[in-house]
Structure formats: C-alpha cells, structure tokens
Amino acid sequence: MRCIRPLFIYRFLFAYLWLHASTGFAWQGVVTRVSDGDTLWVQPLSRHKAVKIRILGVDAPEICQVWGEQSLRALYALTMGRDVQVQGSHADAYGRLLAHIFVQGHDVGAWMVLHGHAWSYAFKSHHGLYDAEQMAAQSMQAGLFGDSNAMEPRFFRRRFGACP
C-alpha cells in the first residue's frame, strides 16, 4: 500500500502539470487597444502594464491587405473595452504573448474565423485550430472568404513584404 500512494501522487502531479502546461496560464483583463485583426493589448486586472497579445490559432490580413481594415474593425467591435479571459503562456519572436482570448466565455479566435475576418493558422503539416470554422465560413463565403482578392498574410508578405 505504501508504494501505491507515492506512485499515485506522482501520476497526479504529472497530469496536473501537463494539463496546465498545455492550456497555459489564465488571467482576466480589459482590452485597451487593437492593432489589427489578430493582435490586441490587454490590461490585466492584477497589473498596471498592458500586455500585447497575438491571438493563437488565427492569421488575420495585414492592415494594407484586402480585408485588413474590416478584420481590425471586427476585432475592435468585439473586444475593445471589454473584460476578457486570456489563456496563454508563451511569447512569439516579436515578444507578443500567444494566447486564446475569451469574451463572456466565447472564443474570439473561433468567432473571427467563422465570420470571415481571419484564417485558421496552420503550420507546416499541422492542421489549424479553427479549420472547422474556416470550412463553414468558406462554404458561406463569409467575409474575406467571399473576396477573390483575399490572400493569406504569409503569402502576401512573401510576395509584397510587410505593410509600410
């Protein structure tokens, strides 16, 4: 019986740490700025400095791209000045926190893709987090998926470079 108890505790601790590492650190805040369709600033309720966040799993058009302004306005209307929950723990190469954002329990990334304001971000051979939402948006020709000139930002940057 003595050997089983430590083994159980180790398994419990491993499962707990694995779960929290995969879901990330969660905190509450208020959106104070929206830079584009996938980047915003959140003022944590517990700190004085706002955090720049890149919404995990989406890739919105650059501001100078087709649908870039509409994407920015959509994220602004959905989040600006609102209380949000942030779930993330890693920064990208630009120092932005990569995180899921929730407004009243609703996933902002899923909403942006479903309404045609962003693509589900896929990396190499991995599927995007919001592929199902993107398929639904494409079938409805929602937002940028109804515009034949819309181009995924990664292809846009390769062809034209960054926005001025």
Side-chain angles (χ1 to χ4, degrees):
M1 205 60 165
R2 268 196 164 145
C3 293
I4 295 173
R5 189 173 272 164
L7 183 60
F8 173 77
I9 291 170
Y10 289 128
R11 284 184 179 167
F12 174 79
L13 285 173
F14 174 78
Y16 177 82
L17 292 172
W18 180 83
L19 176 65
H20 281 72
S22 64
T23 59
F25 178 63
W27 48 276
Q28 300 279 355
V30 176
V31 175
T32 58
R33 180 177 166 200
V34 177
S35 304
D36 58 29
D38 56 26
T39 306
L40 44 74
W41 297 76
V42 177
Q43 174 73 50
L45 299 179
S46 61
R47 293 188 1 207
H48 297 291
K49 186 176 179 185
V51 177
K52 188 175 185 180
I53 298 172
R54 169 74 156 64
I55 299 174
L56 190 61
V58 302
D59 200 8
E62 302 292 333
I63 294 297
C64 62
Q65 275 188 261
V66 169
W67 212 263
E69 287 289 333
Q70 292 94 322
S71 181
L72 166 70
R73 286 196 304 268
L75 185 59
Y76 184 93
L78 183 62
T79 62
M80 188 61 190
R82 307 236 0 229
D83 291 334
V84 296
Q85 182 180 31
V86 178
Q87 286 184 345
S89 61
H90 297 88
D92 67 5
Y94 303 103
R96 302 173 296 187
L97 176 65
L98 298 173
H100 293 284
I101 305 293
F102 297 90
V103 173
Q104 294 181 338
H106 299 284
D107 187 336
V108 171
W111 188 93
M112 291 292 289
V113 174
L114 185 60
H115 289 86
H117 299 297
W119 283 270
S120 176
Y121 182 74
F123 183 70
K124 295 186 179 179
S125 63
H126 300 289
H127 293 288
L129 293 172
Y130 303 112
D131 284 354
E133 288 84 354
Q134 181 168 319
M135 287 175 54
Q138 287 171 327
S139 70
M140 295 182 295
Q141 301 248 320
L144 59 84
F145 298 111
D147 189 328
S148 62
N149 293 317
M151 180 185 298
E152 288 187 54
R154 61 185 167 166
F155 300 128
F156 178 86
R157 286 187 296 270
R158 276 188 212 145
R159 185 169 179 193
F160 301 107
C163 291

